[in-house]
Amino acid sequence: MDNLNTIKPTIILVFGATGDLAKRKLFPAFYNLYLDGRMPEKFEIIALGRAKNSDAIYRSHVSDNLTEFSRNKIASKKEFEQFASHITYLQNDIDKEESYLLMKQKLDAIDSSFGERANRLFYLSIAPSFIETISNNIKKLNLAANPDQDRIIIEKPFGYDKNSAELLNKLLSKTFDEEQIYRIDHYLGKETVQNILAFRFGNSMFEPLWNRNFIDSVQITVAEEVGVEDRGGFYEGAGALRDMIQNHLMQILTMVAMEAPTSLQADEIRNRKADVLKAIRRIKPEEVKHYTVRGQYEKALVKGKTISGYLQEKGVDENSNTETFVAMKFYLDNWRWQGVPFYVRTGKRMQEKQSSIVIQFKPVPHSTFSFGKEGMMPNRLIINIQPAMDIRLQFMTKKPGLSLSLKPAEMVFDYFSCSTQSPEAYETLVLDALQGDPTLFMRSDQVEEAWDVVTTIQEAWENDQSLSLHKYEAGGWGPEAANELLARQGHSWASNTLNEEVEKIEEQKQKEALDGTYI
């Protein structure tokens, strides 16, 4: 296997190695990096779990999971066996000090076999409640004593509110320096999210327009077709605000709204993103109802199949007030974005899986052209993150023919036309952590600012029962109140392709004609 990098010898320790994240994302990421020659020349993966397993049994378990979840399947048995030879299973009880003593012995033995002290990457794929115990034991035995060589990756959720996030940051700072802590948000590893920086700051045609003078509004949507499935117990303590808005959507918003960095150094980019979070206007308790909509999906017939409502899901309280949908409007109080509404929405059991960013430009000051009753369609730049991965520019052109009338057109850059084997988000982020590049990981101040943005909303929803929880049918686009949130300013949720947008306009025309309101 040709190695394409010069990463120092590394030991990766995976806490929760028998869990869902490890089988679906982490080991496929390790395997694909190995196939691409991106893993260190010398590396070992120590898989830690409560269950009793031999190396052979666990490696077989990894093989089955790669067959199901990896973008690169096992094409060569010999190649997989070479990869698997780097994997060791170690039975581990998080609460017992002797487990960490065994871990230390294993680390020392690997260092001895490498002929040098290896880098150590601790990956905590476990519930947040275990972080304190693990961190304290790592400190007690000096397992991560070298800031230049040792790192820890923490999965979300990072706390459940601002106070818990601050406490967790203080706890980790007792064992690790800030530069050792990698708070992961897998959305920042996605190709199209990363490309926002290149698209904005690498092209002179867009950055001069990227401000309040030319942009009318911004929409960010992260919609999921699935429900909570077997995560009802977890979701009851989270909800869409904590699970999605505070991290994924906030991080996408910072990429869209940040100022141009003076360099691509990690701290410079993270400083600019932190500036955005600080600039987000905090919503006052009495304004929560005006700026936010929350919903909960209920039973519906979708594609001929009856889909259960949230209250019927396993592990969910029958009287639950937990939201599965959130739509919000934010403003940024800074020079670039003053007065531009940022609309964000996320939900489960939506019509389709879709993550997208819609930049809507202001209309021309005066136009002699028209396109139907509502005037010309606005110019839009749409960045589709998943499952589609493309960038679309929508604009008006002359309709072929003798009359001077317009029609909408769309230019598309499709990632899949360039590469059908784009790296998964976890591959990008794991490689960055191995290389010691924290650019795409969250810093402590970013996490705390993001929690601060939603604090009053959390408190209002928990304490004020008069704030409605709107029901919406599974398989739709959320409650009608989410449409009204935008309609107050003459906006509507945009489709992520031109064809869908035109179809939506035509359907509205037909509806208005039947109602006798369209002339």
Side-chain angles (χ1 to χ4, degrees), residues 18 27 44 57 64 95 115 169-170 203 212 244 255 280 298 305 317 325 353 370 378 381 394 436 441 471 477-478 496:
T18 56
F27 279 87
E44 289 291 328
I57 290 173
D64 292 342
D95 298 319
N169 280 330
K170 288 177 183 176
N203 296 292
R212 61 188 173 85
M244 297 296 289
M255 300 282 276
I280 295 176
E298 56 184 0
K305 181 180 178 182
D317 188 287
F325 174 95
K353 180 178 180 178
S370 65
L381 180 69
Q394 297 176 355
F441 296 83
K471 298 291 186 175
W477 280 111
N496 65 337

PDB file of all heavy atoms in Angstrom, residues 18 27 44 57 64 95 115 169-170 203 212 244 255 280 298 305 317 325 353 370 378 381 394 436 441 471 477-478 496:
ATOM      1  N   THR A  18     -18.012  -1.039  19.767  1.00  0.00           N
ATOM      2  CA  THR A  18     -19.067  -1.972  19.349  1.00  0.00           C
ATOM      3  C   THR A  18     -20.379  -1.240  19.081  1.00  0.00           C
ATOM      4  O   THR A  18     -21.409  -1.867  18.835  1.00  0.00           O
ATOM      5  CB  THR A  18     -19.299  -3.055  20.418  1.00  0.00           C
ATOM      6  OG1 THR A  18     -19.598  -2.420  21.670  1.00  0.00           O
ATOM      7  CG2 THR A  18     -18.070  -3.927  20.586  1.00  0.00           C
ATOM      8  N   PHE A  27     -15.084   2.884  11.371  1.00  0.00           N
ATOM      9  CA  PHE A  27     -14.230   1.872  10.746  1.00  0.00           C
ATOM     10  C   PHE A  27     -14.286   1.928   9.217  1.00  0.00           C
ATOM     11  O   PHE A  27     -13.261   1.719   8.567  1.00  0.00           O
ATOM     12  CB  PHE A  27     -14.532   0.487  11.314  1.00  0.00           C
ATOM     13  CG  PHE A  27     -13.841   0.256  12.630  1.00  0.00           C
ATOM     14  CD1 PHE A  27     -14.441   0.641  13.824  1.00  0.00           C
ATOM     15  CD2 PHE A  27     -12.560  -0.268  12.676  1.00  0.00           C
ATOM     16  CE1 PHE A  27     -13.797   0.476  15.031  1.00  0.00           C
ATOM     17  CE2 PHE A  27     -11.895  -0.451  13.884  1.00  0.00           C
ATOM     18  CZ  PHE A  27     -12.517  -0.076  15.071  1.00  0.00           C
ATOM     19  N   GLU A  44      -1.938   1.648  14.723  1.00  0.00           N
ATOM     20  CA  GLU A  44      -2.698   0.596  15.389  1.00  0.00           C
ATOM     21  C   GLU A  44      -4.033   1.185  15.826  1.00  0.00           C
ATOM     22  O   GLU A  44      -4.098   2.357  16.246  1.00  0.00           O
ATOM     23  CB  GLU A  44      -1.960   0.047  16.614  1.00  0.00           C
ATOM     24  CG  GLU A  44      -0.730  -0.782  16.286  1.00  0.00           C
ATOM     25  CD  GLU A  44      -1.075  -2.111  15.618  1.00  0.00           C
ATOM     26  OE1 GLU A  44      -2.138  -2.675  15.918  1.00  0.00           O
ATOM     27  OE2 GLU A  44      -0.262  -2.566  14.784  1.00  0.00           O
ATOM     28  N   ILE A  57     -12.634 -12.330  16.302  1.00  0.00           N
ATOM     29  CA  ILE A  57     -14.088 -12.120  16.268  1.00  0.00           C
ATOM     30  C   ILE A  57     -14.400 -10.666  15.922  1.00  0.00           C
ATOM     31  O   ILE A  57     -15.279 -10.377  15.105  1.00  0.00           O
ATOM     32  CB  ILE A  57     -14.728 -12.515  17.612  1.00  0.00           C
ATOM     33  CG1 ILE A  57     -14.675 -14.034  17.797  1.00  0.00           C
ATOM     34  CG2 ILE A  57     -16.172 -12.027  17.694  1.00  0.00           C
ATOM     35  CD1 ILE A  57     -15.142 -14.500  19.171  1.00  0.00           C
ATOM     36  N   ASP A  64     -17.868  -7.537   8.280  1.00  0.00           N
ATOM     37  CA  ASP A  64     -19.303  -7.515   7.968  1.00  0.00           C
ATOM     38  C   ASP A  64     -19.815  -6.083   7.823  1.00  0.00           C
ATOM     39  O   ASP A  64     -20.607  -5.785   6.928  1.00  0.00           O
ATOM     40  CB  ASP A  64     -20.089  -8.227   9.074  1.00  0.00           C
ATOM     41  CG  ASP A  64     -19.811  -9.717   9.120  1.00  0.00           C
ATOM     42  OD1 ASP A  64     -19.302 -10.261   8.115  1.00  0.00           O
ATOM     43  OD2 ASP A  64     -20.083 -10.338  10.168  1.00  0.00           O
ATOM     44  N   ASP A  95     -15.600   2.453  33.876  1.00  0.00           N
ATOM     45  CA  ASP A  95     -15.609   2.867  35.283  1.00  0.00           C
ATOM     46  C   ASP A  95     -14.459   2.291  36.110  1.00  0.00           C
ATOM     47  O   ASP A  95     -14.265   2.688  37.258  1.00  0.00           O
ATOM     48  CB  ASP A  95     -16.934   2.465  35.941  1.00  0.00           C
ATOM     49  CG  ASP A  95     -18.131   3.158  35.292  1.00  0.00           C
ATOM     50  OD1 ASP A  95     -18.008   4.355  34.992  1.00  0.00           O
ATOM     51  OD2 ASP A  95     -19.153   2.489  35.082  1.00  0.00           O
ATOM     52  N   GLY A 115       9.297   1.491  18.014  1.00  0.00           N
ATOM     53  CA  GLY A 115      10.626   2.050  18.221  1.00  0.00           C
ATOM     54  C   GLY A 115      10.588   3.526  18.542  1.00  0.00           C
ATOM     55  O   GLY A 115      11.624   4.198  18.535  1.00  0.00           O
ATOM     56  N   ASN A 169     -16.327  21.914  29.056  1.00  0.00           N
ATOM     57  CA  ASN A 169     -15.078  22.535  28.593  1.00  0.00           C
ATOM     58  C   ASN A 169     -14.070  22.654  29.742  1.00  0.00           C
ATOM     59  O   ASN A 169     -12.873  22.381  29.570  1.00  0.00           O
ATOM     60  CB  ASN A 169     -15.356  23.918  28.001  1.00  0.00           C
ATOM     61  CG  ASN A 169     -15.866  23.851  26.576  1.00  0.00           C
ATOM     62  OD1 ASN A 169     -15.527  22.939  25.827  1.00  0.00           O
ATOM     63  ND2 ASN A 169     -16.687  24.798  26.186  1.00  0.00           N
ATOM     64  N   LYS A 170     -14.554  23.068  30.928  1.00  0.00           N
ATOM     65  CA  LYS A 170     -13.665  23.201  32.084  1.00  0.00           C
ATOM     66  C   LYS A 170     -13.127  21.833  32.506  1.00  0.00           C
ATOM     67  O   LYS A 170     -11.956  21.694  32.863  1.00  0.00           O
ATOM     68  CB  LYS A 170     -14.420  23.853  33.246  1.00  0.00           C
ATOM     69  CG  LYS A 170     -14.696  25.344  33.036  1.00  0.00           C
ATOM     70  CD  LYS A 170     -15.512  25.926  34.178  1.00  0.00           C
ATOM     71  CE  LYS A 170     -15.831  27.391  33.912  1.00  0.00           C
ATOM     72  NZ  LYS A 170     -16.718  27.978  34.968  1.00  0.00           N
ATOM     73  N   ASN A 203     -13.517  33.155  -5.806  1.00  0.00           N
ATOM     74  CA  ASN A 203     -14.137  33.671  -7.028  1.00  0.00           C
ATOM     75  C   ASN A 203     -14.521  35.134  -6.855  1.00  0.00           C
ATOM     76  O   ASN A 203     -15.274  35.475  -5.938  1.00  0.00           O
ATOM     77  CB  ASN A 203     -15.396  32.857  -7.375  1.00  0.00           C
ATOM     78  CG  ASN A 203     -15.073  31.415  -7.691  1.00  0.00           C
ATOM     79  OD1 ASN A 203     -14.450  31.116  -8.706  1.00  0.00           O
ATOM     80  ND2 ASN A 203     -15.486  30.512  -6.817  1.00  0.00           N
ATOM     81  N   ARG A 212     -25.561  42.590   2.446  1.00  0.00           N
ATOM     82  CA  ARG A 212     -26.919  43.115   2.565  1.00  0.00           C
ATOM     83  C   ARG A 212     -27.352  43.968   1.381  1.00  0.00           C
ATOM     84  O   ARG A 212     -28.548  44.167   1.161  1.00  0.00           O
ATOM     85  CB  ARG A 212     -27.043  43.936   3.855  1.00  0.00           C
ATOM     86  CG  ARG A 212     -26.102  45.135   3.891  1.00  0.00           C
ATOM     87  CD  ARG A 212     -26.110  45.811   5.257  1.00  0.00           C
ATOM     88  NE  ARG A 212     -25.089  46.852   5.322  1.00  0.00           N
ATOM     89  CZ  ARG A 212     -25.263  48.088   4.901  1.00  0.00           C
ATOM     90  NH1 ARG A 212     -26.419  48.449   4.378  1.00  0.00           N
ATOM     91  NH2 ARG A 212     -24.291  48.967   4.993  1.00  0.00           N
ATOM     92  N   MET A 244     -30.073  19.478  16.295  1.00  0.00           N
ATOM     93  CA  MET A 244     -29.699  19.936  14.947  1.00  0.00           C
ATOM     94  C   MET A 244     -29.380  21.434  14.858  1.00  0.00           C
ATOM     95  O   MET A 244     -28.371  21.822  14.281  1.00  0.00           O
ATOM     96  CB  MET A 244     -30.826  19.614  13.966  1.00  0.00           C
ATOM     97  CG  MET A 244     -31.097  18.126  13.805  1.00  0.00           C
ATOM     98  SD  MET A 244     -29.726  17.209  13.084  1.00  0.00           S
ATOM     99  CE  MET A 244     -29.799  17.798  11.397  1.00  0.00           C
ATOM    100  N   MET A 255     -20.415  29.320   8.058  1.00  0.00           N
ATOM    101  CA  MET A 255     -19.673  29.197   6.797  1.00  0.00           C
ATOM    102  C   MET A 255     -20.226  30.160   5.743  1.00  0.00           C
ATOM    103  O   MET A 255     -19.485  30.745   4.956  1.00  0.00           O
ATOM    104  CB  MET A 255     -19.745  27.764   6.270  1.00  0.00           C
ATOM    105  CG  MET A 255     -19.179  26.711   7.188  1.00  0.00           C
ATOM    106  SD  MET A 255     -17.375  26.643   7.162  1.00  0.00           S
ATOM    107  CE  MET A 255     -17.099  25.598   5.739  1.00  0.00           C
ATOM    108  N   ILE A 280     -24.930  37.098  15.961  1.00  0.00           N
ATOM    109  CA  ILE A 280     -26.339  36.693  15.860  1.00  0.00           C
ATOM    110  C   ILE A 280     -27.140  37.385  16.965  1.00  0.00           C
ATOM    111  O   ILE A 280     -26.811  37.284  18.147  1.00  0.00           O
ATOM    112  CB  ILE A 280     -26.501  35.166  15.974  1.00  0.00           C
ATOM    113  CG1 ILE A 280     -25.830  34.477  14.774  1.00  0.00           C
ATOM    114  CG2 ILE A 280     -27.980  34.778  16.030  1.00  0.00           C
ATOM    115  CD1 ILE A 280     -25.845  32.970  14.851  1.00  0.00           C
ATOM    116  N   GLU A 298     -47.069  13.727  13.282  1.00  0.00           N
ATOM    117  CA  GLU A 298     -48.110  12.804  13.702  1.00  0.00           C
ATOM    118  C   GLU A 298     -48.397  11.805  12.592  1.00  0.00           C
ATOM    119  O   GLU A 298     -47.937  11.954  11.469  1.00  0.00           O
ATOM    120  CB  GLU A 298     -49.379  13.558  14.105  1.00  0.00           C
ATOM    121  CG  GLU A 298     -49.951  14.465  13.053  1.00  0.00           C
ATOM    122  CD  GLU A 298     -51.152  15.260  13.576  1.00  0.00           C
ATOM    123  OE1 GLU A 298     -51.521  15.095  14.755  1.00  0.00           O
ATOM    124  OE2 GLU A 298     -51.710  16.055  12.797  1.00  0.00           O
ATOM    125  N   LYS A 305     -48.248   3.713   2.852  1.00  0.00           N
ATOM    126  CA  LYS A 305     -47.867   3.057   4.096  1.00  0.00           C
ATOM    127  C   LYS A 305     -48.190   3.976   5.275  1.00  0.00           C
ATOM    128  O   LYS A 305     -47.895   5.171   5.235  1.00  0.00           O
ATOM    129  CB  LYS A 305     -46.372   2.738   4.074  1.00  0.00           C
ATOM    130  CG  LYS A 305     -45.869   2.020   5.319  1.00  0.00           C
ATOM    131  CD  LYS A 305     -44.373   1.759   5.203  1.00  0.00           C
ATOM    132  CE  LYS A 305     -43.831   1.083   6.453  1.00  0.00           C
ATOM    133  NZ  LYS A 305     -42.362   0.863   6.386  1.00  0.00           N
ATOM    134  N   ASP A 317     -42.669   9.471  25.535  1.00  0.00           N
ATOM    135  CA  ASP A 317     -43.796   9.685  26.446  1.00  0.00           C
ATOM    136  C   ASP A 317     -45.045  10.030  25.646  1.00  0.00           C
ATOM    137  O   ASP A 317     -44.986  10.828  24.717  1.00  0.00           O
ATOM    138  CB  ASP A 317     -43.461  10.822  27.410  1.00  0.00           C
ATOM    139  CG  ASP A 317     -44.510  10.980  28.507  1.00  0.00           C
ATOM    140  OD1 ASP A 317     -45.615  11.464  28.191  1.00  0.00           O
ATOM    141  OD2 ASP A 317     -44.216  10.640  29.661  1.00  0.00           O
ATOM    142  N   PHE A 325     -39.509  19.264  14.823  1.00  0.00           N
ATOM    143  CA  PHE A 325     -39.370  20.236  13.736  1.00  0.00           C
ATOM    144  C   PHE A 325     -39.139  21.605  14.355  1.00  0.00           C
ATOM    145  O   PHE A 325     -39.771  21.968  15.353  1.00  0.00           O
ATOM    146  CB  PHE A 325     -40.630  20.268  12.873  1.00  0.00           C
ATOM    147  CG  PHE A 325     -40.635  21.348  11.809  1.00  0.00           C
ATOM    148  CD1 PHE A 325     -40.228  21.070  10.515  1.00  0.00           C
ATOM    149  CD2 PHE A 325     -41.050  22.645  12.115  1.00  0.00           C
ATOM    150  CE1 PHE A 325     -40.225  22.064   9.546  1.00  0.00           C
ATOM    151  CE2 PHE A 325     -41.044  23.644  11.148  1.00  0.00           C
ATOM    152  CZ  PHE A 325     -40.639  23.351   9.869  1.00  0.00           C
ATOM    153  N   LYS A 353     -35.347  13.583   2.191  1.00  0.00           N
ATOM    154  CA  LYS A 353     -34.079  13.936   2.805  1.00  0.00           C
ATOM    155  C   LYS A 353     -33.453  15.047   1.977  1.00  0.00           C
ATOM    156  O   LYS A 353     -33.278  14.907   0.758  1.00  0.00           O
ATOM    157  CB  LYS A 353     -33.149  12.718   2.830  1.00  0.00           C
ATOM    158  CG  LYS A 353     -31.792  12.981   3.460  1.00  0.00           C
ATOM    159  CD  LYS A 353     -30.941  11.714   3.498  1.00  0.00           C
ATOM    160  CE  LYS A 353     -29.594  11.981   4.129  1.00  0.00           C
ATOM    161  NZ  LYS A 353     -28.771  10.756   4.209  1.00  0.00           N
ATOM    162  N   SER A 370     -41.931  40.440 -16.885  1.00  0.00           N
ATOM    163  CA  SER A 370     -42.693  39.723 -15.870  1.00  0.00           C
ATOM    164  C   SER A 370     -42.676  38.233 -16.203  1.00  0.00           C
ATOM    165  O   SER A 370     -42.407  37.841 -17.332  1.00  0.00           O
ATOM    166  CB  SER A 370     -44.133  40.221 -15.802  1.00  0.00           C
ATOM    167  OG  SER A 370     -44.811  39.936 -17.018  1.00  0.00           O
ATOM    168  N   PRO A 378     -37.016  35.221  -8.446  1.00  0.00           N
ATOM    169  CA  PRO A 378     -35.777  35.824  -7.937  1.00  0.00           C
ATOM    170  C   PRO A 378     -34.545  35.044  -8.387  1.00  0.00           C
ATOM    171  O   PRO A 378     -34.614  33.836  -8.622  1.00  0.00           O
ATOM    172  CB  PRO A 378     -35.946  35.757  -6.419  1.00  0.00           C
ATOM    173  CG  PRO A 378     -36.924  34.662  -6.193  1.00  0.00           C
ATOM    174  CD  PRO A 378     -37.843  34.657  -7.374  1.00  0.00           C
ATOM    175  N   LEU A 381     -28.910  31.415  -5.627  1.00  0.00           N
ATOM    176  CA  LEU A 381     -27.771  30.504  -5.630  1.00  0.00           C
ATOM    177  C   LEU A 381     -28.092  29.416  -4.620  1.00  0.00           C
ATOM    178  O   LEU A 381     -28.350  29.706  -3.447  1.00  0.00           O
ATOM    179  CB  LEU A 381     -26.496  31.238  -5.231  1.00  0.00           C
ATOM    180  CG  LEU A 381     -25.229  30.394  -5.192  1.00  0.00           C
ATOM    181  CD1 LEU A 381     -24.830  29.974  -6.600  1.00  0.00           C
ATOM    182  CD2 LEU A 381     -24.096  31.147  -4.521  1.00  0.00           C
ATOM    183  N   GLN A 394     -29.705  30.180 -10.401  1.00  0.00           N
ATOM    184  CA  GLN A 394     -30.980  30.374 -11.091  1.00  0.00           C
ATOM    185  C   GLN A 394     -31.134  31.841 -11.497  1.00  0.00           C
ATOM    186  O   GLN A 394     -30.931  32.739 -10.675  1.00  0.00           O
ATOM    187  CB  GLN A 394     -32.141  29.956 -10.185  1.00  0.00           C
ATOM    188  CG  GLN A 394     -32.113  28.476  -9.829  1.00  0.00           C
ATOM    189  CD  GLN A 394     -33.208  28.070  -8.861  1.00  0.00           C
ATOM    190  OE1 GLN A 394     -33.962  28.903  -8.367  1.00  0.00           O
ATOM    191  NE2 GLN A 394     -33.300  26.775  -8.576  1.00  0.00           N
ATOM    192  N   GLY A 436      -3.471  16.658  12.806  1.00  0.00           N
ATOM    193  CA  GLY A 436      -3.406  17.759  13.762  1.00  0.00           C
ATOM    194  C   GLY A 436      -3.943  19.062  13.223  1.00  0.00           C
ATOM    195  O   GLY A 436      -3.510  20.143  13.649  1.00  0.00           O
ATOM    196  N   PHE A 441     -13.052  21.622  13.165  1.00  0.00           N
ATOM    197  CA  PHE A 441     -13.582  21.220  14.460  1.00  0.00           C
ATOM    198  C   PHE A 441     -13.910  22.462  15.286  1.00  0.00           C
ATOM    199  O   PHE A 441     -13.310  23.523  15.103  1.00  0.00           O
ATOM    200  CB  PHE A 441     -12.570  20.342  15.207  1.00  0.00           C
ATOM    201  CG  PHE A 441     -12.284  19.043  14.516  1.00  0.00           C
ATOM    202  CD1 PHE A 441     -11.355  18.969  13.485  1.00  0.00           C
ATOM    203  CD2 PHE A 441     -12.942  17.881  14.895  1.00  0.00           C
ATOM    204  CE1 PHE A 441     -11.087  17.768  12.841  1.00  0.00           C
ATOM    205  CE2 PHE A 441     -12.677  16.671  14.256  1.00  0.00           C
ATOM    206  CZ  PHE A 441     -11.750  16.626  13.229  1.00  0.00           C
ATOM    207  N   LYS A 471     -48.666  20.546  15.228  1.00  0.00           N
ATOM    208  CA  LYS A 471     -48.634  19.204  14.661  1.00  0.00           C
ATOM    209  C   LYS A 471     -48.495  19.287  13.141  1.00  0.00           C
ATOM    210  O   LYS A 471     -49.000  20.221  12.505  1.00  0.00           O
ATOM    211  CB  LYS A 471     -49.914  18.445  15.021  1.00  0.00           C
ATOM    212  CG  LYS A 471     -50.113  18.233  16.521  1.00  0.00           C
ATOM    213  CD  LYS A 471     -49.105  17.253  17.098  1.00  0.00           C
ATOM    214  CE  LYS A 471     -49.404  16.951  18.562  1.00  0.00           C
ATOM    215  NZ  LYS A 471     -48.511  15.926  19.120  1.00  0.00           N
ATOM    216  N   TRP A 477     -43.913  18.945   4.724  1.00  0.00           N
ATOM    217  CA  TRP A 477     -42.821  19.901   4.901  1.00  0.00           C
ATOM    218  C   TRP A 477     -42.956  20.696   6.196  1.00  0.00           C
ATOM    219  O   TRP A 477     -42.481  21.808   6.303  1.00  0.00           O
ATOM    220  CB  TRP A 477     -42.723  20.844   3.700  1.00  0.00           C
ATOM    221  CG  TRP A 477     -42.026  20.235   2.530  1.00  0.00           C
ATOM    222  CD1 TRP A 477     -42.553  19.881   1.336  1.00  0.00           C
ATOM    223  CD2 TRP A 477     -40.635  19.880   2.459  1.00  0.00           C
ATOM    224  NE1 TRP A 477     -41.598  19.323   0.522  1.00  0.00           N
ATOM    225  CE2 TRP A 477     -40.404  19.314   1.178  1.00  0.00           C
ATOM    226  CE3 TRP A 477     -39.565  19.975   3.346  1.00  0.00           C
ATOM    227  CZ2 TRP A 477     -39.165  18.847   0.772  1.00  0.00           C
ATOM    228  CZ3 TRP A 477     -38.314  19.511   2.940  1.00  0.00           C
ATOM    229  CH2 TRP A 477     -38.127  18.963   1.667  1.00  0.00           C
ATOM    230  N   GLY A 478     -43.625  20.103   7.183  1.00  0.00           N
ATOM    231  CA  GLY A 478     -43.737  20.772   8.470  1.00  0.00           C
ATOM    232  C   GLY A 478     -45.043  21.537   8.601  1.00  0.00           C
ATOM    233  O   GLY A 478     -45.858  21.585   7.677  1.00  0.00           O
ATOM    234  N   ASN A 496     -35.193  23.145  -3.933  1.00  0.00           N
ATOM    235  CA  ASN A 496     -33.749  23.116  -4.171  1.00  0.00           C
ATOM    236  C   ASN A 496     -33.372  22.824  -5.621  1.00  0.00           C
ATOM    237  O   ASN A 496     -32.202  22.668  -5.942  1.00  0.00           O
ATOM    238  CB  ASN A 496     -33.064  22.112  -3.233  1.00  0.00           C
ATOM    239  CG  ASN A 496     -33.474  20.689  -3.495  1.00  0.00           C
ATOM    240  OD1 ASN A 496     -34.548  20.439  -4.049  1.00  0.00           O
ATOM    241  ND2 ASN A 496     -32.628  19.752  -3.119  1.00  0.00           N
TER     242      ASN A 496
END
